[in-house]
């Protein structure tokens, strides 16, 4: 089997979306400070680009979670691999994710973060596959809604590969 990647969203379109989202976030939180929580590893490319385009004071923290599940399905049973370095109590928190799929992982993560009593808690995601949703998740900022296809690039992986592609692509297999 040979793998190849077809471009779904070119780099320039992703970058333009992030620029626009950064401006909107800067307006929405004007006069305040924002703690960006990047969900590793997939969210890291998007979070860095987004942070560069936000003009209000921003601090960054990172969290890594793994979702137990069979194959490509996440189960909603989530293990924290790396927790935040700092408390978020009383802070404006924006979670930065690569993609919302079933919503199970984020549903757990948002509940967990809410229990730490932030001043506000919101979610932004580069991609959303709404047709796959099993658990409802409130998303404040969505980059692109995409159909139910397995995507890679801009942080997203297939077996840990392709995260470094500067665009969003779909894997195709051929003999
Ligand atoms: P959820 O709990 O089903 O919403 O799982 C979301 C996580 O699954 C994302 O953070 C990704 O790590 C992974 N994921 C879901 N869809 C894709 C995809 O199309 N490509 C790569 N990873 C994906
Ligand atoms: Mg992820």
């Amino acid at each position: 089997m040979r793998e190849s990647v077809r471009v779904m969203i070119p780099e320039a379109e992703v970058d333009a979306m992030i620029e626009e989202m950064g401006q909107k976030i800067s307006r929405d939180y004007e006069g305040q400070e924002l703690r960006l929580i990047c969900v590793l590893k997939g969210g890291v490319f998007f979070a860095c680009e987004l942070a560069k385009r936000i003009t209000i004071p921003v601090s960054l923290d990172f969290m890594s979670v793994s979702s137990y599940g069979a194959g490509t399905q996440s189960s909603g049973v989530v293990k924290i691999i790396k927790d935040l370095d700092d408390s978020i109590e009383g802070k404006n928190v924006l979670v930065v994710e690569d993609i919302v799929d079933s919503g199970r992982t984020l549903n757990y993560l948002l509940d967990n973060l809410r229990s730490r009593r932030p001043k506000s808690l919101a979610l932004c995601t580069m991609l959303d596959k709404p047709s796959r949703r099993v658990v409802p998740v409130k998303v404040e900022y969505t980059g692109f809604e995409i159909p139910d296809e397995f995507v890679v690039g801009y942080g997203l992986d297939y077996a840990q590969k392709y995260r470094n592609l500067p665009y969003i692509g779909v894997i195709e297999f051929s003999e």
Side-chain angles (χ1 to χ4, degrees):
M1 284 286 237
R2 281 173 50 140
E3 290 168 25
S4 59
V5 181
R6 163 172 59 86
V7 178
M8 179 194 258
I9 309 172
E11 181 174 12
E13 282 181 35
V14 183
D15 289 347
M17 175 279 285
I18 298 175
E19 171 72 41
E20 208 177 296
M21 194 186 278
Q23 287 179 15
K24 179 157 181 16
I25 290 167
S26 305
R27 282 196 301 274
D28 290 354
Y29 290 88
E30 200 182 338
Q32 305 182 68
E33 293 185 9
L34 189 58
R35 172 75 44 88
L36 293 182
I37 294 185
C38 170
V39 184
L40 297 171
K41 303 173 183 155
V44 77
F45 290 73
F46 174 48
C48 292
E49 293 304 313
L50 184 65
K52 281 156 59 178
R53 289 160 172 98
I54 295 175
T55 51
I56 56 164
V58 152
S59 56
L60 282 158
D61 207 343
F62 298 86
M63 200 159 170
S64 181
V65 295
S66 94
S67 176
Y68 295 111
T72 55
Q73 286 274 8
S74 68
S75 62
V77 182
V78 176
K79 182 177 167 193
I80 296 178
I81 306 290
K82 185 223 168 287
D83 206 346
L84 300 175
D85 290 338
D86 298 311
S87 165
I88 54 169
E89 191 170 347
K91 308 272 187 206
N92 291 310
V93 171
L94 183 62
V95 176
V96 183
E97 253 289 18
D98 49 1
I99 188 165
V100 186
D101 187 39
S102 74
R104 288 187 172 108
T105 310
L106 273 168
N107 183 59
Y108 169 88
L109 192 63
L110 292 172
D111 279 353
N112 178 293
L113 294 174
R114 204 171 288 116
S115 72
R116 305 181 196 197
R117 304 162 60 83
K119 180 179 173 200
S120 67
L121 180 63
L123 170 65
C124 80
T125 186
M126 179 171 70
L127 302 174
D128 189 359
K129 285 188 205 169
S131 64
R132 297 259 305 168
R133 199 75 89 255
V134 176
V135 182
V137 174
K138 188 163 170 257
V139 187
E140 277 77 11
Y141 304 94
T142 302
F144 301 102
E145 287 193 359
I146 60 165
D148 181 12
E149 289 188 276
F150 194 84
V151 286
V152 295
Y154 231 101
L156 290 149
D157 75 303
Y158 171 67
Q160 297 302 325
K161 288 186 294 184
Y162 305 115
R163 290 193 197 275
N164 60 317
L165 293 179
Y167 53 85
I168 311 284
V170 179
I171 302 199
E172 292 179 335
F173 297 95
S174 56
E175 288 301 323

